[in-house]
């Protein structure tokens, strides 16, 4: 059953969110796991849809209760994690489940659920990644620099993944991911 679980990871601003949105709109049997985080909501983000926004204490309580499938400190600042119960429920109801998480989380899922497929979404080039991050304009220069540092480490870890898909064009990238899910 856990072979219906797909973990999507990849560097900041590679466009994972856009690819996932495209998949959800076009493939109804796919369920996206909503993560929990201790970071503050950005303008327009919705509680329970974008993330479950938790205090550090609430987050740590969930870890202690064994309610996180995986979790990690991302970009050296905040905790992000996958609430376990909704994922298991979606798999049990026959859905294909996508986790959009960072590479540390991807490694944990591979350990606890070895049949999960790990897909790395890569940018067409480093320059294109920098351009997408700067163009997004949602982070300060300092935050952008921190994210690019993390991105270097993440790109170096591509070989740990079962598949690498280049996000050159959203629809093409999404259909490649869907093909992998159904393989
Ligand atoms: P952002 O702050 O831009 O929403 O997300 C920052 C990073 O956190 C992204 O690279 C994203 O993949 C990662 N992330 C989001 N949710 C989770 C999660 O549940 N677990 C882990 N390990 N990483 C996550």
């Amino acid at each position: 059953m856990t072979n219906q679980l797909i973990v999507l990871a990849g560097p900041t601003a590679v466009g994972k969110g856009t690819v996932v949105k495209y998949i959800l709109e076009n493939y109804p049997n796919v369920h996206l796991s909503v993560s929990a985080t201790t970071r503050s909501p950005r303008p327009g983000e919705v509680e329970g849809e974008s993330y479950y926004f938790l205090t550090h204490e609430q987050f740590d309580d969930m870890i202690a209760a064994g309610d996180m499938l995986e979790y990690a400190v991302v970009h050296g600042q905040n905790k992000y994690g996958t609430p376990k119960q909704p994922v298991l429920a979606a798999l049990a109801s026959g859905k294909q489940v996508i986790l959009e998480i960072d590479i540390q989380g991807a490694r944990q899922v591979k350990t606890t659920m070895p049949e999960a497929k790990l897909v790395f979404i890569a940018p067409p080039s480093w320059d294109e990644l920098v351009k997408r991050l700067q163009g997004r304009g949602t982070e300060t220069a300092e935050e952008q620099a921190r994210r690019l540092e993390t991105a270097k480490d993440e790109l170096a870890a591509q070989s740990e993944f079962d598949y690498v898909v280049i996000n050159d064009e959203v629809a093409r990238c999404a259909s490649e991911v869907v093909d992998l899910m159904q393989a």
Side-chain angles (χ1 to χ4, degrees):
M1 186 173 80
T2 49
N3 63 355
Q4 295 296 84
L5 184 62
I6 283 263
V7 178
L8 285 189
T12 186
V14 74
K16 280 171 298 195
T18 316
V19 170
V20 168
K21 191 163 169 268
Y22 185 92
I23 293 174
L24 294 176
E25 282 167 2
N26 291 281
Y27 301 90
N29 196 41
V30 177
H31 169 86
L32 174 67
S33 158
V34 177
S35 296
T37 181
T38 59
R39 89 154 158 72
S40 310
R42 295 190 189 123
E45 285 186 332
V46 178
E47 163 70 21
E49 286 181 24
S50 319
Y51 282 105
Y52 297 103
F53 295 99
L54 304 182
T55 63
H56 284 273
E57 196 187 357
Q58 288 169 326
F59 199 105
D60 291 345
D61 285 348
M62 282 190 71
I63 298 171
D67 289 340
M68 290 293 187
L69 186 60
E70 60 74 33
Y71 69 93
V73 175
V74 182
H75 303 308
Q77 282 202 314
N78 284 295
K79 283 184 192 140
Y80 294 77
T82 305
K84 191 188 282 177
Q85 215 39 54
V87 171
L88 297 182
L91 288 171
S93 74
K95 295 245 177 198
Q96 293 171 317
V97 178
I98 296 185
L99 308 185
E100 188 204 329
I101 62 179
D102 92 317
I103 182 154
Q104 308 168 76
R107 288 181 183 130
Q108 292 172 42
V109 173
K110 196 68 190 174
T111 305
T112 49
M113 297 174 130
E115 306 90 337
K117 293 176 191 163
L118 264 50
V119 179
F120 189 88
I121 306 290
S125 68
W126 176 259
D127 288 351
E128 177 63 24
L129 185 70
V130 174
K131 210 170 93 189
R132 287 183 192 175
L133 178 63
Q134 289 171 347
R136 180 164 84 177
T138 44
E139 288 86 17
T140 62
E142 189 192 340
E143 180 65 24
Q144 284 178 11
R146 189 161 41 224
R147 282 170 182 254
L148 286 174
E149 275 310 305
T150 309
K152 276 185 203 155
D153 294 340
E154 291 182 334
L155 286 169
Q158 280 181 52
S159 58
E160 294 175 37
F161 284 71
D162 299 315
Y163 309 96
V164 176
V165 178
I166 295 174
N167 186 17
D168 44 4
E169 204 265 305
V170 174
R172 197 210 60 76
C173 178
S175 82
E176 196 176 334
V177 171
V178 170
D179 286 348
L180 293 174
M181 288 198 295
Q182 286 158 358

